[in-house]
Amino acid sequence: MSYSGYKALVVRAEDRIARVTIDNPPVNTVDATLAGDLKAFAEEVATDEDVAVIVFQSASPEFFSAHADFEWSFDPSTLMALADPDADPALNPLQQLNERLRTLPQVTIAKLRGYARAGGVELAMAADMRFAAADRTWLSQPESLMGIFPGGGGTQYLNRLVGRARALEIVLGAELFDTSVAERYGWINRAVPDEHLDAFVDALARRIAVLPQGVAAAAKEALDAAEASGPVPNLAEEAAAHAKVYPSPDDVVHRLRVLMDHGGQTRDGELRLERLLESIPWAHRS
């Protein structure tokens, strides 16, 4: 496989490991370009028997992926234009994309540095495992501050990882979680000192890559079957619930426009996103 021609990804495949670097400046927003590249990569790698492990990482030390593109709230049709005709039509395009990644036959690892919020952390949760640079990584589902809730698979993925009570805390509290709490909650597998993260993930990926053919895929299948909550995950329920709050009403769209005017989706604005959102009053709904 060539794994070339991407605009927001750099893919290097060797020794049965594909290292996928997200490079979509300034903040690795999950936009149409990145979503398109991820879909194309998933389609290509799904049939590549020479790849056993996929590591997702970022070219930026500040942002794994800030969030999904705010522009999709201003014009929801631009998001719906990304719908995958080969995927479940009950799911929205971000759910379809994340499920493509979650159900890849290879073992997938998200190596996290910097901020991973909303659609960005949903992308990380679609991976089989997550390892983060200790004290250099922050996770958040701040969608409730924008008048919605996680709709790219976040509620279903979170519930599996941290449990219902903590998922509600994350979703409704909309706080920024550091690696110590995220590790304790189970949101990430492990927080690793930044200077050791690359070597740790590389060693794990290499151990998995040399397993006999089919072992990892069979283990994934068995572990998924052990999920006590039935089908994994129930994205159709999330999609139906999310449709109640998106496309967003005018006051939410106004709030996002104000946010964009004050630095949303720029590097400086994203470094203080939660504070920015909390400073913008909600418009009164008539």
Side-chain angles (χ1 to χ4, degrees):
M1 300 288 185
S2 63
Y3 299 114
S4 60
Y6 305 120
K7 297 178 181 178
L9 294 179
V10 178
V11 180
R12 181 168 59 92
E14 60 181 12
D15 299 327
R16 296 180 53 77
I17 302 169
R19 293 173 176 84
V20 181
T21 303
I22 301 170
D23 190 7
N24 194 30
V27 295
N28 282 347
T29 302
V30 182
D31 58 12
T33 300
L34 179 54
D37 279 359
L38 287 168
K39 177 178 179 289
F41 168 75
E43 289 176 339
E44 190 171 6
V45 79
T47 58
D48 190 348
E49 294 184 355
D50 291 328
V51 172
V53 184
I54 302 166
V55 178
F56 293 97
Q57 58 194 10
S58 171
S60 167
E62 293 184 308
F63 297 94
F64 174 76
S65 176
H67 45 67
D69 192 354
F70 285 154
E71 297 289 345
W72 289 337
S73 288
F74 306 143
D75 184 2
S77 67
T78 57
L79 171 60
M80 300 315 297
L82 302 178
D84 184 348
D86 298 323
D88 186 344
L91 308 186
N92 67 48
L94 281 183
Q95 291 175 324
Q96 292 174 340
L97 172 62
N98 287 332
E99 279 299 275
R100 269 193 182 272
L101 298 171
R102 189 188 71 82
T103 57
L104 283 171
Q106 294 88 354
V107 174
T108 54
I109 302 171
K111 183 171 66 177
L112 306 178
R113 284 187 174 95
Y115 292 89
R117 295 189 181 101
V121 78
E122 287 174 317
L123 172 61
M125 286 192 288
D128 293 317
M129 292 175 272
R130 285 148 297 285
F131 299 93
D135 304 318
R136 296 285 303 275
T137 308
W138 298 270
L139 285 66
S140 175
Q141 297 276 189
E143 290 93 335
S144 65
L145 297 176
M146 306 173 196
I148 55 176
F149 64 87
T155 64
Q156 306 302 294
Y157 301 152
L158 265 175
N159 220 46
R160 295 174 63 205
L161 293 172
V162 307
R164 181 179 182 274
R166 284 175 169 169
L168 279 169
E169 176 192 351
I170 292 168
V171 169
L172 300 181
E175 290 184 304
L176 201 60
F177 280 65
D178 63 23
T179 50
S180 62
V181 180
E183 181 184 47
R184 189 164 73 247
Y185 276 26
W187 205 350
I188 58 176
N189 287 60
R190 192 184 304 195
V192 181
D194 184 51
E195 64 271 23
H196 301 310
L197 179 63
D198 292 335
F200 176 88
V201 171
D202 187 64
L204 175 61
R206 290 182 183 278
R207 287 198 300 275
I208 297 170
V210 298
L211 292 173
Q213 191 84 14
V215 169
K220 285 179 59 171
E221 181 179 342
L223 288 164
D224 283 343
E227 291 283 341
S229 58
V232 182
N234 193 342
L235 287 161
E237 289 293 330
E238 182 188 75
H242 201 259
K244 298 176 182 177
V245 294
Y246 182 87
S248 303
D250 290 344
D251 60 335
V252 174
V253 173
H254 170 73
R255 184 177 174 83
L256 284 173
R257 290 196 186 280
V258 173
L259 175 65
M260 294 285 277
D261 290 342
H262 286 77
Q265 222 149 277
T266 67
R267 175 189 174 276
D268 291 342
E270 292 295 337
L271 291 174
R272 53 192 177 94
L273 180 67
E274 284 78 14
R275 295 196 300 277
L276 271 178
L277 280 164
E278 289 171 355
S279 71
I280 302 170
W282 286 101
H284 177 68
R285 293 191 187 185
S286 58

